[in-house]
Amino acid sequence: MSKSIRMDELGLGVCYYPEHWPESLWEDDFRRMREMNIKVIRMAEFAWAIFEPEEGRFDFSFFHRVMDLAHRYGLKVILGTPTATPPAWLTHKYPEVLNANLEGVLYRHGMRRHYNYSSPKYRELSERIVRNMVEAYKDHPAVIGWQIDNELNCETNVFYAEADHAAFREWLKNRYGSLDNLNQAWGTVFWSQTYTDWEQVHLTRPTVSHSPNPHLALDEKRFISANTISFAKLQADIIRQLAPHHWVTTNGTFGHLDSHELTDELLDFFSYDSYPQFSTIFPGEDENPLKDRAWSMNLSNVRSISPNFCVMEQQSGPGGWVNRIGMASPRPGQIRLWSYQSVLHGSDLLVYFRWRTATVGTEIYWHGINDYHNQPNRRLQEVAQVGEEFAKIGTAIAGTSYRADVAILQDYDNIWDGELDQWHGPLQRQSMRSWYKRLQYRHIPADLVTLRPATALEDLTRYKVIVYPHPAIMTDETAERLTEYVKQGGKLFFGARTGYKNPSGHCYMRPFPGPVAELCGITVEDFTLIKGTVPPSELRWLCSGLASEAKAAGFNEILHIENPEVEIVAEYASEYYAGKPALTRRAVGKGEVWYYGAAYSEPVVDALMDELGLQSPVRRLTGCAGRS
């Protein structure tokens, strides 16, 4: 069951760092916050050196003074545990707590998130600071909840310290039980990689051609996720024990972390850090890019974890570090637009980053609501407008749900496997972008749904259309679940490279698309990566209702019809496989399954959406076109 934040009205908050400012500014800051309808502040997630200036000597008086004053102004407080930034005394005395790169070189003090989750010493010291911090603040009337750490797996999501290699071995022992089972799962008979002693087993290390064993690489990502969750659990358990009246969350999402499992096991709800301009600073190939609107896909992903959630950091100004990133100032009205983008996707508590732009440190260009000079500006006025509007509409919107008839399906195994595997990972990224982008431009609501072992059939049948573009890893159990979805009336879309791997990443010795070949009624008789001497084939649509000038991108599978019920919707119109099936449809029960032997492109998606008759709810209500 999904875990959501529970709010009676929309909440507005801001990240506040009192340690950065003279104490003389605090009261004026809090007074102005309340005038803007800001009711919540998040703080302390980077303050370990203040709480524990020397090993074993704790001082919690500073933030007691801050919270006493905040309480006088009616502000509620979210406290972050400070484990994202270990103090200098800690990393100097215990260098074994530091993370390392692939070559084993340690990341030194001077940034953040430079530790590893596996170090017994770091876990010991993290447990101690969290326990002392919760004991100090658990009864303060201003505190409402806790954020564990900050942005788990941000900055880097791979870990190669000696402690990580040791922890990986223990995780593998629990997973496989024996070296024989491990060798089987990793296919170590290939290239004489067979292990005969556990001490021979490591996380990814430098190899010739920089190409690790793909099965090891997949398990490495599973281990990182499990290890991250176990580190978070140390803290969540302490908070649950000492402060059961407070809620627990953390902010993400970042790579190599199963945020669904994290939330199900540890959190009351999930939180997210929304910076829409990240999608504008990396040049893309699209002629008509979504730009900041692309962040809706991220918010849709968060919504699959917690239908109603907290945005723990909402962008409120231009962003950038001294040496990297760099984002333009939001245009007038854009902060308000981003705020409602978050709210209408399910955020019931919106916390802006940050109250005032830092004057020192790496983030002096990561601007907040207030500039360095602390004088009124248009960003402040815009946030104040949002505060006024929240006060008027907040009780009507809080707790409401996003509704969609279309879902794009994904799963962690294929995401992680696709990072290394260039034969399906790039296809997944292209197809998801093409579908989501066209749905956005047609103003058709869509969910991102992460398929998990606990995903029930009723979680799928709520959608009329599901796109599961390139699930290379596919089990017979998943195929059975998807078959039932189709039989009960759903329309299911697959793409090339579906169903040819098992959960270990081994290729099946069965015709493509493996477990769903019978459902689709087709097999793949030939295929080619679109590269080098083979360009993408043009498509010829055979159904009168479909008209599109498009090419079959990324990968071309030549399909063979195995079931007479299958209808050929499009065929290849060029290359040596011209005239062969490229896109098929089969009616099964009350629904239908489509198979496309390529990556989805925007023209192909447009043609399919026309065939499906997908329309914007706005168009249905007003008669206005919902397509652009």
Side-chain angles (χ1 to χ4, degrees):
M1 181 178 179
S2 298
K3 294 183 175 181
S4 286
I5 191 172
R6 306 296 179 193
M7 302 285 290
D8 295 327
E9 60 181 353
L10 294 181
L12 199 64
V14 70
C15 301
Y16 189 65
Y17 300 94
E19 66 269 32
H20 297 176
W21 311 110
E23 192 165 342
S24 58
L25 291 178
W26 298 352
E27 187 162 5
D28 184 60
D29 287 340
F30 294 160
R31 177 188 58 78
R32 290 192 293 137
M33 287 178 193
R34 287 315 311 261
E35 290 174 354
M36 298 167 62
N37 200 41
I38 290 173
K39 298 179 180 179
V40 177
I41 55 176
R42 179 196 73 160
M43 59 186 181
E45 74 271 19
F46 300 128
W48 193 336
I50 294 175
F51 295 134
E52 191 178 6
E54 298 175 3
E55 183 174 6
R57 181 169 70 84
F58 299 97
D59 185 350
F60 296 101
S61 60
F62 180 89
F63 280 91
H64 262 301
R65 295 200 307 276
V66 179
M67 289 193 292
D68 288 347
L69 185 61
H71 183 60
R72 279 173 43 197
Y73 279 86
L75 291 165
K76 297 299 182 183
V77 173
I78 303 167
L79 287 172
T81 62
T83 50
T85 51
W89 62 258
L90 193 160
T91 56
H92 177 74
K93 185 176 181 180
Y94 304 108
E96 66 270 26
V97 310
L98 295 168
N99 190 12
N101 66 13
L102 186 69
E103 289 75 28
V105 178
L106 296 182
Y107 295 120
R108 298 296 181 174
H109 193 87
M111 247 288 289
R112 63 177 183 178
R113 308 212 55 79
H114 44 289
Y115 61 90
N116 71 77
Y117 303 120
S118 304
S119 164
K121 177 55 67 173
Y122 197 68
R123 288 184 172 232
E124 173 194 330
L125 296 174
S126 294
E127 284 186 88
R128 189 175 69 180
I129 185 62
V130 172
R131 182 171 297 278
N132 279 272
M133 184 180 177
V134 178
E135 285 279 14
Y137 299 132
K138 63 183 175 67
D139 296 321
H140 198 285
V143 180
I144 56 173
W146 296 80
Q147 173 195 292
I148 294 174
D149 201 271
N150 183 74
E151 299 183 333
L152 294 163
N153 288 9
C154 181
E155 312 306 346
T156 183
N157 54 32
V158 290
F159 302 84
Y160 299 114
E162 283 302 316
D164 294 308
H165 291 285
F168 185 45
R169 292 184 200 106
E170 293 304 312
W171 181 83
L172 291 170
K173 289 176 184 177
N174 289 329
R175 181 175 177 85
Y176 292 111
S178 71
L179 279 172
D180 286 344
N181 292 336
L182 173 71
N183 284 317
Q184 176 66 30
W186 285 8
T188 56
V189 68
F190 186 79
W191 282 347
S192 193
Q193 296 177 43
T194 303
Y195 298 102
T196 57
D197 190 286
W198 284 105
E199 290 303 309
Q200 300 164 5
V201 180
H202 293 82
L203 293 157
T204 302
R205 294 191 294 180
T207 60
V208 174
S209 301
H210 309 288
S211 181
N213 180 319
H215 316 296
L216 183 162
L218 178 56
D219 265 348
E220 177 178 302
K221 297 172 180 67
R222 291 167 172 156
F223 159 72
I224 291 170
S225 178
N227 206 34
T228 307
I229 292 172
S230 72
F231 177 74
K233 186 177 187 300
L234 297 176
Q235 304 189 33
D237 286 350
I238 292 169
I239 299 168
R240 299 289 187 200
Q241 175 193 2
L242 299 179
H245 52 298
H246 293 157
W247 46 252
V248 180
T249 187
T250 195
N251 52 335
T253 55
F254 294 94
H256 305 163
L257 176 57
D258 185 334
S259 297
H260 294 75
E261 181 181 348
L262 172 75
T263 303
D264 287 350
E265 292 191 2
L266 306 182
L267 309 180
D268 291 294
F269 56 87
F270 193 74
S271 297
Y272 180 64
D273 296 347
S274 183
Y275 292 95
Q277 278 195 324
F278 268 122
S279 60
T280 72
I281 61 177
F282 304 109
E285 300 176 358
D286 295 348
E287 292 182 4
N288 192 20
L290 286 171
K291 297 183 178 178
D292 58 348
R293 190 167 164 181
W295 228 241
S296 290
M297 180 180 283
N298 293 36
L299 292 165
S300 296
N301 185 45
V302 175
R303 203 171 57 244
S304 77
I305 305 168
S306 288
N308 296 96
F309 53 91
C310 168
V311 167
M312 198 63 81
E313 298 180 16
Q314 177 68 58
Q315 184 174 356
S316 65
W321 289 3
V322 171
N323 63 327
R324 71 180 179 98
I325 305 175
M327 293 182 278
S329 292
R331 302 174 68 86
Q334 203 166 19
I335 296 172
R336 180 169 173 261
L337 178 69
W338 295 336
S339 300
Y340 282 103
Q341 181 186 38
S342 292
V343 167
L344 295 176
H345 277 277
S347 175
D348 283 356
L349 176 57
L350 191 74
V351 182
Y352 290 104
F353 186 87
R354 50 189 285 168
W355 173 248
R356 185 167 40 246
T357 310
T359 61
V360 298
T362 301
E363 291 186 338
I364 58 175
Y365 304 130
W366 207 285
H367 292 70
I369 300 170
N370 289 278
D371 288 310
Y372 316 113
H373 51 63
N374 219 32
Q375 300 299 308
N377 62 31
R378 66 175 175 87
R379 300 197 304 278
L380 195 75
Q381 295 168 355
E382 202 165 310
V383 171
Q385 180 183 353
V386 173
E388 291 178 6
E389 292 165 350
F390 274 22
K392 295 176 182 177
I393 64 173
T395 55
I397 293 180
T400 57
S401 301
Y402 186 100
R403 301 285 179 87
D405 292 332
V406 180
I408 300 174
L409 205 59
Q410 61 183 4
D411 65 89
Y412 286 104
D413 278 351
N414 279 297
I415 292 170
W416 294 339
D417 188 62
E419 290 181 20
L420 180 67
D421 193 323
Q422 294 302 298
W423 286 63
H424 76 85
L427 308 183
Q428 173 78 2
R429 290 186 285 273
Q430 172 171 333
S431 292
M432 288 189 68
R433 185 177 67 244
S434 296
W435 273 96
Y436 200 89
K437 183 177 175 183
R438 295 318 306 162
L439 289 162
Q440 281 284 293
Y441 273 118
R442 291 195 185 208
H443 310 290
I444 297 172
D447 283 342
L448 255 63
V449 175
T450 299
L451 188 64
R452 307 173 64 218
T455 302
L457 181 60
E458 51 266 31
D459 297 323
L460 303 178
T461 53
R462 69 181 63 173
Y463 300 104
K464 296 178 181 178
V465 177
I466 289 179
V467 182
Y468 197 15
H470 308 284
I473 295 175
M474 169 82 75
T475 65
D476 289 315
E477 291 76 16
T478 296
E480 291 174 8
R481 214 176 332 172
L482 295 173
T483 299
E484 287 303 312
Y485 163 76
V486 175
K487 286 181 177 178
Q488 295 193 23
K491 293 180 172 64
L492 177 62
F493 286 79
F494 292 116
R497 308 304 285 164
T498 288
Y500 69 95
K501 287 184 175 183
N502 71 13
S504 293
H506 298 191
C507 293
Y508 288 120
M509 295 181 68
R510 57 201 291 192
F512 304 153
V516 293
E518 183 177 354
L519 170 63
C520 297
I522 57 99
T523 55
V524 177
E525 70 176 47
D526 198 2
F527 57 86
T528 180
L529 189 68
I530 300 305
K531 203 165 188 177
T533 61
V534 182
S537 173
E538 295 177 356
L539 290 174
R540 180 184 298 116
W541 299 90
L542 303 184
C543 296
S544 59
L546 290 173
S548 171
E549 294 182 5
K551 294 184 178 181
F555 202 97
N556 286 180
E557 291 180 338
I558 296 89
L559 309 182
H560 184 267
I561 306 304
E562 301 287 349
N563 189 312
E565 300 170 351
V566 173
E567 175 189 7
I568 301 173
V569 179
E571 63 184 24
Y572 296 108
S574 61
E575 279 309 307
Y576 59 87
Y577 38 90
K580 293 286 190 175
L583 174 65
T584 63
R585 169 172 52 189
R586 181 189 174 214
V588 181
K590 298 178 182 179
E592 54 191 39
V593 57
W594 296 63
Y595 192 96
Y596 181 44
Y600 290 94
S601 62
E602 290 184 52
V604 169
V605 171
D606 265 335
L608 292 172
M609 291 169 73
D610 286 342
E611 173 70 9
L612 294 171
L614 294 178
Q615 293 184 352
S616 167
V618 176
R619 183 177 183 179
R620 292 198 296 266
L621 290 171
T622 66
C624 298
R627 180 178 178 180
S628 60

